[in-house]
Amino acid sequence: MPAAIYHLQVRIFVTHRHNAPHPMADRFRGFLPVVVDVETAGFNPRTDALLEIAAVTLTMDENGYLMVDQSYDANVIPFPGANLEQSALDFTGINPDDPARNAVAEQEALEKIFKPIRKSIKSHGCKRAVLVGHNAAFDHSFVTNASDRCNIKRNPFHPFSTFDTVSLAGLAYGQTVLAKACDLAGIEFDGKQAHSALYDTVKTAELFCTIVNQWKDMGGWDMLLATRD
């Protein structure tokens, strides 16, 4: 790259970041990416129980690289009248009646997750969160329906936009299965811990950060900033 063009890109990047309240606020159109995974007792978010929820907030270092920040999780008591599909319970290995789960009601679980997300949105100068997930529409639908059931007015997530690591991993690595995509990305993945909401969320967060940071290293972020000059 010619030196003049390189210095121009560096100048644009530094100036742009200087004017932003936090680089994260400008990176994703004012949205804070928050990675979420849920474990459920079926596929219908209106009728089937939410059993586990986990979230990982992300931040950005001084060089503009995305990184994992904090993680939060809760085991959830099925809401009154919830459907429990035995096939789903067999798949996840979750026993909703196990007292060792220390499960809490949906509203308490959601507020445990939402409260730190709201704080992270504010600290990063963002407008709201955008849900990142592996098959993000599934997780988003369960979070949204649970929030509506609990009449929570301040759901921090965008009502319909998501970032899906299935699509991103398919583009970046030619794989859509989380374990296989992580393997190609150089991320350790223990299949014995899979289908735990917290473990899957952390691995999805690592995968999302890796893909976004690779895009940055390829010059994609600098090209975008140059178009804004």
Side-chain angles (χ1 to χ4, degrees), residues 134 165 169-170 173 175-187 207 211:
H134 205 72
T165 51
Y173 305 115
Q175 288 288 349
T176 57
V177 175
L178 181 59
K180 293 181 178 179
C182 285
D183 180 59
L184 290 173
I187 299 167
L207 179 63
I211 294 172

Side-chain angles (χ1 to χ4, degrees), residues 9-23 25-27 221 224-226 228-229:
Q9 289 185 340
V10 170
R11 179 184 64 80
I12 291 170
F13 181 63
V14 172
T15 300
H16 198 78
R17 287 189 58 181
H18 177 75
N19 293 333
H22 189 284
D26 195 48
R27 185 67 181 273
W221 182 230
L224 176 60
L225 290 177
R228 298 177 180 175
D229 184 47

Side-chain angles (χ1 to χ4, degrees), residues 33-71:
V34 177
V35 187
V36 172
D37 185 77
V38 299
E39 298 298 332
T40 70
F43 296 103
N44 188 325
R46 293 183 178 87
T47 62
D48 298 340
L50 173 66
L51 299 176
E52 293 182 8
I53 181 169
V56 171
T57 55
L58 305 178
T59 191
M60 191 175 287
D61 70 13
E62 64 276 10
N63 296 311
Y65 287 99
L66 202 62
M67 57 192 294
V68 170
D69 189 13
Q70 300 292 327
S71 62

Side-chain angles (χ1 to χ4, degrees), residues 91-183:
F91 180 75
T92 62
I94 297 172
N95 176 5
D97 299 321
D98 183 356
R101 296 178 69 230
N102 295 315
V104 297
E106 270 191 341
Q107 182 149 6
E108 183 178 344
L110 291 177
E111 286 298 350
K112 180 181 179 181
I113 301 296
F114 286 177
K115 186 175 180 179
I117 291 173
R118 295 187 192 109
K119 289 183 177 179
S120 188
I121 292 170
K122 184 176 181 180
S123 68
H124 286 88
C126 293
K127 296 181 294 185
R128 69 188 315 164
V130 60
L131 188 147
V132 181
H134 205 72
N135 288 316
F138 178 84
D139 302 285
H140 187 274
S141 67
F142 270 88
V143 171
T144 299
N145 276 271
S147 182
D148 289 345
R149 274 194 301 270
C150 297
N151 198 30
I152 294 175
K153 302 298 184 184
R154 296 179 58 222
N155 182 340
F157 290 104
H158 192 283
F160 54 84
S161 292
T162 59
F163 293 147
D164 192 352
T165 51
V166 169
S167 300
L168 292 172
L171 174 66
Y173 305 115
Q175 288 288 349
T176 57
V177 175
L178 181 59
K180 293 181 178 179
C182 285
D183 180 59

